[in-house]
Amino acid sequence: MSEQTGKQLSKEEKDARFEAELLPVLDPLYNFAYRLTLDEDDANDLVQETYLKAYRFFDYFEQGTNAKAWLFRILKNSFINEFRKKSKQPAKVDYSEVEGYYNSEDVEGEGGVASTTDMRTESVQDLIGDEVASALNALPVDFRTVIILCDLEGFTYEEMAKILDIPIGTVRSRLHRARNSLKEKLEKYAKTMGYNS
Amino acid sequence: MESKFTEAYQKAPDEGYETDCSKVSEMLDLVIDGEATSEEEKFFNTHLEECVSCFESHQKQKLLKGIISGHLKRVIVPESLALSIRAKIQETL
Ligand SMILES: [Zn+2]
């Protein structure tokens, strides 16, 4: 059934399919890259690298199969294999390191996060969005990844297993632990905001 | 009160046999992610009708997923990115 695999495409065919099938994934792919690297320039580089690889290996991509999952897989591998080394982020995104970073940025907010003035002037939606983002960013990268793939991008467990090269059982347990960890963080926030009394 | 979000997992008893509650608690993710079989879902829903604490755990787990999908802001792709990808591809041929 894979007669098409390895078939040499003409440059025109390749360019047309690249535009039609791969470039439309740019938005989710960039968002994924940003959530992995937590840096816009790094996300840019990672996405460019991903598309260059995808173009180079286009002959291996079977038309009609899941282009989004394929690109996410390439990006994830690039991130692990090469990118993480040269990235400004610490190679191992250690939870305490990232959290320390957040705490130091938010020093002013400590103790006064929910000051009533802020609540009136800022949209509550934005505050929630920001808090969700910091809680998510404070997770170890493996946890962050499964949450993004599942809850933000709507990949199935099977697709996630392929993207991450791990068994489905590992997808499940990782997702479970990631959610517990995220809950703890959001719960702290909910308490500060008085939602949890 | 201590932990609205995590209590669902903490209360699953760590015993040699599985109670319905612990089975349901293990199924939570499958159900909210749409990965449960129809049989599993039937068992799950039947149990929720008679168990308030599992019902609440399910609500919380759904809420968490909804918060991520509904409140996490997407970052805007720089306008130049698609252009520079195309340019890079043409020059590296
Ligand atoms: Zn129960």
Side-chain angles (χ1 to χ4, degrees):
Chain A
M1 279 283 107
S2 55
E3 273 173 23
Q4 278 198 313
T5 324
K7 174 195 153 205
Q8 284 295 115
L9 295 165
S10 75
K11 184 180 177 306
E12 287 69 28
E13 279 177 304
K14 211 168 163 181
D15 286 351
R17 284 187 52 198
F18 185 82
E19 289 286 331
E21 296 168 45
L22 303 192
L23 272 184
V25 187
L26 181 58
D27 186 280
L29 205 57
Y30 180 77
N31 270 270
F32 183 42
Y34 178 75
R35 294 285 164 211
L36 287 178
T37 59
L38 303 177
D39 182 279
E40 287 177 16
D41 292 334
D42 288 348
N44 244 290
D45 293 349
L46 190 52
V47 168
Q48 289 201 25
E49 194 180 315
T50 301
Y51 273 112
L52 280 179
K53 279 187 191 161
Y55 190 85
R56 205 174 306 142
F57 296 110
F58 211 162
D59 293 338
Y60 295 94
F61 172 65
E62 286 180 66
Q63 191 155 20
T65 59
N66 192 334
K68 187 176 170 187
W70 186 59
L71 286 168
F72 269 64
R73 186 167 191 271
I74 297 174
L75 188 137
K76 168 71 176 142
N77 287 340
S78 303
F79 177 70
I80 292 177
N81 295 336
E82 311 152 40
F83 200 87
R84 214 135 96 165
K85 291 173 208 152
K86 65 186 177 198
S87 154
K88 292 165 215 153
Q89 282 288 316
K92 248 207 280 171
V93 182
D94 173 16
Y95 165 67
S96 56
E97 256 172 322
V98 185
E99 186 169 62
Y101 164 81
Y102 263 98
N103 287 344
S104 62
E105 270 225 325
D106 274 339
V107 172
E108 297 162 61
E110 286 293 325
V113 179
S115 102
T116 37
T117 339
D118 289 344
M119 283 304 289
R120 281 190 213 115
T121 49
E122 274 205 58
S123 131
V124 175
Q125 293 293 309
D126 281 353
L127 280 176
I128 294 173
D130 289 347
E131 196 58 37
V132 172
S134 5
L136 186 68
N137 293 350
L139 294 180
V141 69
D142 284 345
F143 282 3
R144 220 186 303 150
T145 303
V146 285
I147 297 224
I148 291 161
L149 295 179
C150 185
D151 295 341
L152 212 57
E153 299 301 341
F155 284 112
T156 64
Y157 290 180
E158 199 183 339
E159 288 168 332
M160 288 165 70
K162 281 180 187 156
I163 291 169
L164 302 173
D165 276 314
I166 54 177
I168 287 188
T170 311
V171 170
R172 278 188 65 182
S173 60
R174 196 175 288 178
L175 190 59
H176 182 76
R177 285 183 294 142
R179 281 177 173 156
N180 279 351
S181 181
L182 188 63
K183 274 182 219 168
E184 276 172 37
K185 292 182 195 312
L186 287 173
E187 196 175 82
K188 268 189 220 156
Y189 165 68
K191 269 182 195 155
T192 329
M193 300 298 278
Y195 291 161
N196 221 11
S197 47
Chain B
M1 173 166 180
E2 178 56 26
S3 164
K4 273 206 169 182
F5 279 123
T6 48
E7 69 191 5
Y9 293 108
Q10 288 165 352
K11 79 171 183 327
D14 200 14
E15 288 164 26
Y17 63 94
E18 273 196 317
T19 66
D20 280 2
C21 288
S22 67
K23 269 191 221 159
V24 159
S25 146
E26 273 165 29
M27 257 182 229
L28 268 180
D29 290 305
L30 285 178
V31 171
I32 65 155
D33 294 330
E35 299 267 350
T37 64
S38 55
E39 227 168 70
E40 285 170 325
E41 227 166 285
K42 202 176 166 200
F43 170 80
F44 187 90
N45 289 327
T46 308
H47 180 76
L48 254 57
E49 281 170 21
E50 61 200 29
C51 179
V52 179
S53 85
C54 286
F55 176 82
E56 283 178 356
S57 311
H58 180 231
Q59 294 300 110
K60 281 166 203 156
Q61 199 76 348
K62 269 202 301 196
L63 178 71
L64 180 76
K65 191 177 168 103
I67 284 174
I68 295 294
S69 56
H71 291 288
L72 188 69
K73 269 179 272 177
R74 297 193 75 94
V75 284
I76 313 269
V77 183
E79 280 180 36
S80 57
L81 185 53
L83 293 174
S84 57
I85 288 167
R86 289 190 189 100
K88 273 230 165 97
I89 281 171
Q90 297 313 321
E91 82 193 23
T92 53
L93 279 179

